[in-house]
RNA sequence: GCCGGGGUGGCGGAACUGGUAGACGCGCCGGAUUCAAAAUCCGGUUUCCGAAAGGAAGUGAGGGUUCGAUUCCCUCCUCCGGCACCA
């Protein structure tokens, strides 16, 4: 047999697999040759490969390693396809964890962040990622955030940013604004105080101005997963409906509501407003019970998930609303599930034909009226079950007997003709609130003057630099206590004025960093012609948890930059791959659960290639990956086998030229396997992104080589071709070991500059194919038939199989289905 | 609650366009090597019946379409992601 067993080969010590040596040498070569630093080469096809940049939280965790490796595999594969590949890396460096660490350790957020960046960058280098570090970005650097301050000012000038009141979680004890995740069961995480909803003025970006464009373009984005596009469509939530005004008894101001179901208007039996609505406030002033209820409503956190899952509560305000068509009075309620920030803060309730209204009416004994009947004429009992389908109007006065469309149109017409409403489009999408009452973020470039109101900082005064050397207590933003920061002259009138101390949402930084990687050093413009060369990103990789917010904000910002003349592109990311989480024992790795696996330890023990290989082999990228220590050992074993197989082949001496015409059957079989594998793995890596099956196919090919016992000249030549193919095809996943083995196989050119292997179609040809034979859909036998046999011949051969005969004998063959090259199904 | 995704051997997963369910790997069992162990190599491994040949069942549960369903449709269970201040 072929000698691949280390025991028998007695290899010198120097040829054993030592990952650390191999990896250090490869990494040194890449660094010294500057293999991954790229300029703009218009003669080559560019490929921009990008991973969502990490938050510098301290050390890399397995989730990072997974997504970084996925992106690296794609980058390296595309390079082998001859593309001009850029893969940059940087840091989403502003954010809350730095403030929390500052409170805990008495270290300024900046210092903590820069230390983490240093640590994580060295970990990334140890993993062998093909990054162009000359383009590194850290969003907390003024050179970076000055340009988003600049864009903010441009948007201000265009009316794309504006200020309005909105609700935050207020911790009355710590006197600070809390993030949703800092509110636990309605209480502050540190103070344990009951959180209040408080309205404060905040800055908003008008993403709704682009709502239709963001929605429509989704239909022309084939490189994005359908699931993400569907989530974004639903998030934008475009609905066509009617705005209707209802008079309120004893009030000047009418109540405006939006509905997509004006056909159900005659079924309105009550109305409801949010606790913050002026009518609720007014009633609260006169009625202690209402006041208590309104106060209770304000004492819950602002997250939609909380509001949707909590008990639906409400209370009549003692105010009547006049039904515009019947003139009937219906009661006005205040309800905890109506949101002031969504639509008009008021809703009309049709309990007969809306699930939530029906349950609320049942609970509070409000009347339920049927005004829609099923289109098929069947009877329903509206007291027993709600009916939400579209149907035919009944009990609707002059509007009876109409289908949805007719009823919608005639009622909408009436409101428009009487000046009491209008057809309108409503979006679930709300404008983006970007103000954060926090220190560790990019300062909002606004100055408040008593005379001139909010004035943007003049362009020439940018950046507004965040002071980095601060004492951080956790009680409000330290910026308020820095007079040199706060006290400024009004750029308009020169009077004493105050600087804005709120900072920008960190999603702002991550909404344009991808374009800045093209020109990170430009200090006179946000973007330049290099961005035009590299954008859009050809392959973007990141967690599915960003399916909506980050990806939608980035699509919005790309359009803002386009309309500012900075880019010709509307969409930032041509292809999107969303990777799953890394789990251990079925749960997300987290410090709380104590199930964290540190990549560092594994790299020290097995090397970076083993860690990379396991990550890519254990699951396809979109799926959650279950961690397994045994699986890692298996990957290490495979790499040792791989190494030893190549070494054993080399030890047997030089290899002659492959003469395809001189091969015997078994040599042809191995060569067919080689080229089948090249075809499959190319497809897995280039189209399907199923790295797990690509690795499995490489293992199969290596197993075939190991089992192949043929020391003849042609036997060794066929083995040589197979081993070279495996080395090339595994190299995107395990670049270090392949770098070393490629050189050992006698090549002068470093693997990183070698092209991907090509399929020799003639090697795939075969004379006989195996066909599966079924009887009534059950597997009963296999037959070997000529590859070019016609269906009749295949059918007859199938019928002749002895075991097939056992099930067919004495019965009439009713039908024979032949799937060429695959199977025959005989139906009796 | 709403939106999106998943559920296949003891475990991770494969089956790409409706056509052989379980590739590849882990684990386990048996064997070789070893004084012994580790490491390594060889063989086996969905479950049940059977000495074997072979047969029956089987992809979260139930139903449907089809010559044929892990794949398509309906109902349900369950786990995960998001829900606008975690990033």
């Amino acid at each position: 047999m072929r000698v691949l067993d280390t025991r028998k080969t007695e290899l010198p010590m120097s040829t054993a697999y030592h990952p650390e040596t191999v990896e250090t040498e490869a990494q040194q070569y890449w660094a010294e040759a500057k293999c991954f630093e790229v300029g703009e080469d218009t003669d080559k096809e560019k490929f921009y490969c990008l991973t969502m940049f990490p938050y510098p939280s301290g050390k890399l965790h397995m989730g990072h390693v997974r997504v970084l490796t996925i992106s690296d595999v794609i980058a390296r594969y595309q390079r082998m396809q001859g593309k001009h590949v850029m893969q940059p890396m940087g840091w989403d460096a502003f954010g809350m964890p730095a403030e929390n660490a500052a409170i805990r350790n008495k270290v300024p957020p900046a210092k903590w962040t820069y230390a983490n960046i240093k640590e994580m960058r060295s970990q990334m280098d140890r993993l062998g990622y093909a990054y162009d570090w000359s383009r590194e970005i850290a969003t907390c650097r003024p050179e970076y955030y000055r340009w988003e301050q600049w864009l903010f000012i441009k948007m201000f000038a265009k009316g794309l940013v504006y200020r309005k009141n909105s609700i935050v979680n207020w911790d009355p004890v710590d006197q600070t604004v809390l993030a949703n995740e800092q509110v636990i069961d309605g209480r502050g995480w540190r103070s344990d105080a009951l959180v209040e909803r408080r309205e404060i003025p905040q800055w908003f970006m008008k993403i709704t101005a682009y709502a239709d464009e963001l929605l429509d373009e989704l239909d022309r984005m084939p490189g994005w997963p359908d699931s993400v596009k569907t989530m974004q469509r639903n998030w934008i939530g475009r609905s066509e409906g009617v705005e209707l005004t209802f008079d309120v008894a004893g009030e000047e101001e009418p109540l405006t509501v939006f509905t997509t179901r004006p056909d159900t208007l005659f079924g309105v039996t009550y109305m409801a407003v949010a606790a913050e609505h002026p009518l609720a406030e007014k009633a609260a002033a006169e009625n202690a019970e209402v006041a208590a209820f309104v106060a209770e409503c304000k004492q819950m956190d602002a997250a939609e998930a909380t509001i949707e899952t909590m008990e639906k509560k409400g209370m009549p305000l003692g105010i009547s609303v006049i039904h515009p068509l019947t003139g009937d009075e219906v009661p006005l309620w205040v309800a905890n599930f109506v949101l002031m920030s969504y639509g008009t803060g008021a809703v009309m309730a049709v309990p007969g034909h809306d699930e939530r209204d029906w349950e609320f009416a049942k609970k509070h004994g409000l009347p339920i009226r049927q005004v829609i009947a099923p289109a098929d004429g069947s009877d329903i009992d509206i007291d027993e079950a709600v009916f939400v389908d579209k149907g035919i109007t009944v009990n609707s006065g002059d509007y009876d007997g109409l289908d949805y469309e007719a009823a919608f149109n005639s009622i909408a017409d009436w409101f428009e003709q009487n000046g009491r409403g209008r057809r309108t489009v409503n979006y679930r999408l709300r404008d983006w609130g970007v103000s954060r009452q926090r220190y560790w973020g990019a300062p909002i470039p606004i100055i408040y003057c008593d005379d001139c109101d909010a004035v943007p900082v003049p362009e020439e005064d940018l950046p507004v630099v965040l002071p980095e050397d601060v004492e951080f207590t956790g009680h409000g933003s330290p910026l308020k206590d820095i007079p040199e920061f706060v006290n400024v002259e009004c750029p308009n009138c020169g009077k004493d004025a105050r600087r804005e101390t709120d900072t920008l949402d960190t999603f702002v930084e991550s909404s344009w960093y991808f374009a800045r990687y093209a020109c990170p050093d430009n200090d006179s413009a946000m973007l330049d012609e290099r961005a035009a060369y590299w954008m859009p990103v050809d392959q973007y990789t990141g967690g599915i948890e960003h399916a909506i917010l980050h990806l939608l904000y980035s699509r919005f910002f790309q359009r803002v930059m386009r309309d500012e003349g900075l880019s010709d592109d509307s969409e930032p990311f041509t292809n999107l791959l969303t990777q799953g989480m890394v789990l251990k024992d079925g749960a997300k790795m987290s410090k709380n659960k104590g199930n964290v696996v540190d990549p560092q330890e594994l790299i020290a023990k097995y090397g970076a290639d083993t860690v990379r290989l396991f990550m890519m082999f254990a699951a396809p990228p979109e799926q959650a990956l279950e961690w397994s220590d045994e699986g890692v050992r298996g990957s290490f074993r495979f790499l040792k086998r791989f190494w030893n197989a190549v070494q054993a082949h080399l030890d047997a001496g030089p290899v002659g030229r492959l003469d395809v015409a001189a091969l015997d059957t078994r040599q042809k079989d191995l060569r067919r396997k080689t080229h089948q594998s090249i075809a499959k793995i190319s497809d897995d890596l280039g189209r399907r992104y199923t790295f797990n099956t690509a690795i499995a196919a490489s293992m199969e090919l290596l197993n075939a080589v190991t089992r192949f016992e043929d020391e003849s000249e042609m036997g060794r030549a066929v083995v040589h071709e197979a081993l070279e193919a495996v080395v090339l095809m595994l190299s995107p996943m395990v670049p270090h070991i392949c770098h070393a083995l490629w050189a050992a196989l006698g090549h002068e050119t470093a693997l990183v500059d070698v092209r991907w292997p090509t399929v020799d179609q003639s090697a795939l040809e075969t004379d006989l194919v195996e066909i599966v034979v079924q009887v009534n859909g059950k597997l009963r036998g296999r037959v070997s038939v000529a590859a070019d046999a016609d269906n009749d011949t295949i059918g007859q051969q199938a019928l002749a199989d002895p075991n097939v005969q056992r099930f067919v004998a004495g019965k009439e063959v009713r039908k024979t289905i032949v799937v060429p090259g695959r199977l025959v199904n005989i139906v009796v």
Side-chain angles (χ1 to χ4, degrees), chain A residues 40-58:
Chain A
E40 293 69 36
D41 186 341
T42 44
D43 292 338
K44 287 188 188 161
E45 190 183 347
K46 67 99 182 173
F47 190 90
Y48 183 1
C49 189
L50 184 68
T51 312
M52 291 177 188
F53 63 168
Y55 180 81
S57 52

Coordinates of all heavy atoms in Angstrom, one line a residue, chain A residues 40-58:
Chain A
E40 N -5.7 51.3 -6.6 CA -6.8 51.2 -7.5 C -6.2 50.9 -8.9 O -5.4 51.6 -9.4 CB -7.5 52.6 -7.6 CG -8.3 52.9 -6.3 CD -7.4 53.2 -5.1 OE1 -6.3 53.9 -5.3 OE2 -7.7 52.9 -4.0
D41 N -6.6 49.8 -9.4 CA -6.1 49.3 -10.7 C -7.3 49.1 -11.7 O -8.0 48.2 -11.6 CB -5.4 47.9 -10.5 CG -4.7 47.5 -11.8 OD1 -5.1 48.0 -12.9 OD2 -3.8 46.6 -11.7
T42 N -7.4 50.1 -12.6 CA -8.6 50.1 -13.4 C -8.5 49.0 -14.5 O -9.6 48.7 -15.1 CB -8.7 51.5 -14.1 OG1 -7.4 51.9 -14.6 CG2 -9.2 52.6 -13.2
D43 N -7.4 48.4 -14.7 CA -7.3 47.3 -15.6 C -7.9 46.0 -15.1 O -8.2 45.1 -15.9 CB -5.8 47.0 -16.0 CG -5.3 48.2 -16.8 OD1 -6.1 49.0 -17.4 OD2 -4.0 48.4 -16.8
K44 N -8.0 45.9 -13.8 CA -8.5 44.7 -13.2 C -9.9 44.8 -12.7 O -10.4 45.9 -12.4 CB -7.6 44.3 -12.0 CG -6.2 43.8 -12.4 CD -5.5 43.2 -11.2 CE -4.0 42.9 -11.5 NZ -3.2 42.8 -10.3
E45 N -10.6 43.6 -12.6 CA -11.9 43.6 -12.0 C -11.8 43.7 -10.5 O -11.2 42.9 -9.9 CB -12.6 42.3 -12.4 CG -14.1 42.4 -12.1 CD -14.8 41.0 -12.4 OE1 -14.2 40.2 -13.1 OE2 -15.9 40.9 -11.9
K46 N -12.4 44.8 -9.9 CA -12.2 45.0 -8.5 C -13.2 44.1 -7.7 O -14.3 43.7 -8.3 CB -12.4 46.4 -8.1 CG -13.9 46.9 -8.3 CD -14.7 47.0 -7.1 CE -16.1 47.4 -7.3 NZ -17.0 47.3 -6.2
F47 N -12.9 43.7 -6.5 CA -13.8 42.9 -5.7 C -13.6 43.5 -4.3 O -12.5 43.3 -3.6 CB -13.5 41.4 -5.7 CG -14.5 40.6 -5.0 CD1 -15.6 40.1 -5.7 CD2 -14.4 40.3 -3.7 CE1 -16.6 39.4 -5.1 CE2 -15.4 39.6 -3.0 CZ -16.5 39.1 -3.7
Y48 N -14.6 44.1 -3.8 CA -14.6 44.7 -2.4 C -15.3 43.8 -1.5 O -16.5 43.5 -1.6 CB -15.3 46.1 -2.5 CG -15.2 46.9 -1.2 CD1 -14.6 46.4 0.0 CD2 -15.8 48.2 -1.1 CE1 -14.6 47.2 1.1 CE2 -15.9 48.9 0.0 CZ -15.2 48.4 1.1 OH -15.3 49.2 2.3
C49 N -14.5 43.2 -0.6 CA -15.0 42.2 0.4 C -15.0 42.7 1.8 O -13.9 43.1 2.3 CB -14.1 40.9 0.3 SG -14.7 39.5 1.1
L50 N -16.1 42.8 2.4 CA -16.2 43.5 3.7 C -17.0 42.7 4.7 O -18.0 42.1 4.4 CB -16.9 44.9 3.5 CG -16.9 45.8 4.7 CD1 -15.6 46.2 5.1 CD2 -17.8 47.0 4.4
T51 N -16.5 42.8 6.0 CA -17.2 42.3 7.1 C -17.7 43.4 7.9 O -17.1 44.4 8.0 CB -16.3 41.5 8.0 OG1 -15.5 40.6 7.3 CG2 -17.1 40.7 9.1
M52 N -18.9 43.3 8.6 CA -19.3 44.3 9.5 C -18.2 44.5 10.6 O -17.8 43.6 11.2 CB -20.6 43.9 10.2 CG -21.8 43.9 9.2 SD -23.3 43.3 10.0 CE -24.4 43.2 8.5
F53 N -17.7 45.8 10.7 CA -16.6 46.0 11.6 C -17.0 45.8 13.0 O -18.2 46.1 13.4 CB -15.9 47.3 11.3 CG -16.7 48.6 11.5 CD1 -16.0 49.8 11.6 CD2 -18.0 48.6 11.7 CE1 -16.7 51.0 11.8 CE2 -18.8 49.8 11.9 CZ -18.1 51.0 11.9
P54 N -16.1 45.2 13.8 CA -16.5 44.9 15.2 C -16.4 46.1 16.2 O -15.7 47.1 15.9 CB -15.4 43.9 15.6 CG -14.2 44.2 14.8 CD -14.7 44.8 13.5
Y55 N -17.2 46.0 17.2 CA -17.0 46.9 18.4 C -15.8 46.4 19.2 O -15.7 45.2 19.5 CB -18.3 46.8 19.2 CG -18.2 47.8 20.4 CD1 -18.4 49.1 20.2 CD2 -17.8 47.3 21.6 CE1 -18.2 50.0 21.3 CE2 -17.6 48.1 22.7 CZ -17.8 49.5 22.5 OH -17.6 50.4 23.6
P56 N -14.9 47.3 19.5 CA -13.7 46.8 20.2 C -14.0 46.5 21.7 O -13.7 47.4 22.6 CB -12.7 47.9 20.0 CG -13.5 49.2 19.8 CD -14.8 48.7 19.2
S57 N -14.5 45.4 22.0 CA -15.0 45.1 23.3 C -14.0 44.5 24.2 O -14.2 44.4 25.4 CB -16.2 44.1 23.2 OG -15.7 43.0 22.5
G58 N -12.8 44.2 23.7 CA -11.7 43.7 24.6 C -10.9 42.6 23.8 O -9.8 42.9 23.4

